[in-house]
Amino acid sequence: MSMRLMGKTALVTGATSNIGRAIAEAFASEGAHVAVSGRSTERGNEVVEGIRARGGRADFVRADLDGSAAASQALAREAQQALGGRIDVLVNNAGIYPGDTTPATDEGTFDQVYAVNVKAPFFLTAAIAPAMVAAGGGAIINLGSWIARLGVPMGALYSSTKGAVETLTRAWAAEFGPHGVRVNAISPGVVLAPSPGDPHPGEIMMKGTPAGRLGTPDAIANAAVYLAGDESSFVHGIVLDVDGGRTTAAVIAA
């Protein structure tokens, strides 16, 4: 282990599965003390126990980020306590994805998706960034999505929330960057944890890309380690595409 995050503390939301879990595990393997956050205590404790079994430091902080300022503020307080009084790195990963068409999306679903995907990270950042400024610096990493910039015929609601998150990334970089807090985003492609069995329908979305395959959570976690660490100290306000080339290049088969 290179210990690129030794001495840092990190809060990762939605860290009990898939990309969030991979980021939490990668941060811990690089020396960070990680607050693993999510709704499921059982899954959260499983992640923490795995990290500790490998010699890392982690604590579970349960949170149901429903979009209310109160829920985000409570998580900020509890995570700060679990991490010994400070949060050096915040990863806004928690989100929900309804894949409905626009006509099939009701108002309740619309409000819920914006609450979880936009309001929750907005108020969590509002609660944590000032403390980072007061402490002399920090890093915030938001999770966007490739379908924020490449239209597909399903999931317009979700893609619009990720477009909002990417816009917030640039705005927060301008707001907090001059005070020592770097804000960046990662835009994953089609990412799934490896599993045996029949091919996943998502594989068709990666046909015609340079990678030609699905991504894995570890690929996103590696990017998050870079953006959280000191080696990216000159990186502000970017959206780092980790999508196998889905949004930038097309491979035309002969």
Side-chain angles (χ1 to χ4, degrees):
M1 294 186 290
S2 59
M3 294 293 154
R4 294 153 74 188
L5 303 180
M6 177 61 73
K8 294 185 183 294
T9 61
L11 166 60
V12 183
T13 68
T16 60
S17 64
N18 205 20
I19 289 174
R21 177 172 184 163
I23 291 173
E25 291 173 342
F27 279 9
S29 72
E30 293 288 350
H33 181 187
V34 182
V36 173
S37 180
R39 290 177 295 179
S40 170
T41 300
E42 180 180 0
R43 292 195 302 176
N45 287 334
E46 178 187 346
V47 176
V48 168
E49 289 168 6
I51 288 173
R52 290 177 178 175
R54 293 186 291 273
R57 297 182 67 196
D59 291 280
F60 176 65
V61 182
R62 188 188 179 282
D64 186 359
L65 295 176
D66 59 6
S68 66
S72 291
Q73 291 162 359
L75 174 57
R77 288 193 303 270
E78 293 169 18
Q80 187 176 39
Q81 292 172 358
L83 295 172
R86 76 178 199 278
I87 299 171
D88 298 318
V89 181
L90 167 63
V91 180
N92 286 312
N93 168 72
I96 55 176
Y97 174 76
D100 290 337
T101 63
T102 298
T105 301
D106 59 36
E107 185 176 6
T109 299
F110 184 100
D111 291 343
Q112 181 188 25
V113 176
Y114 263 85
V116 175
N117 292 6
V118 182
K119 286 183 67 180
F122 183 94
F123 286 113
L124 188 57
T125 298
I128 291 175
M132 288 181 171
V133 171
I140 297 172
I141 303 168
N142 299 320
L143 268 292
S145 173
W146 65 280
I147 61 172
R149 278 166 291 130
L150 181 65
V152 296
M154 298 287 288
L157 174 59
Y158 174 81
S159 64
S160 71
T161 66
K162 290 304 182 179
V165 167
E166 293 188 2
T167 297
L168 285 171
T169 297
R170 292 183 285 270
W172 286 338
E175 183 175 359
F176 300 117
H179 305 288
V181 179
R182 295 184 302 104
V183 185
N184 295 288
I186 300 171
S187 178
V190 185
V191 173
L192 291 171
S195 61
D198 295 333
H200 190 276
E203 291 181 3
I204 195 169
M205 302 301 296
M206 294 305 292
K207 289 186 176 180
T209 67
R213 61 174 176 80
L214 294 172
T216 63
D218 287 346
I220 312 305
N222 291 336
V225 168
Y226 166 69
L227 290 175
D230 294 337
E231 60 193 346
S232 62
S233 63
F234 200 53
V235 180
H236 290 261
I238 70 161
V239 178
L240 179 58
D241 293 323
V242 187
D243 63 3
R246 175 70 282 172
T247 56
T248 56
V251 177
I252 309 300

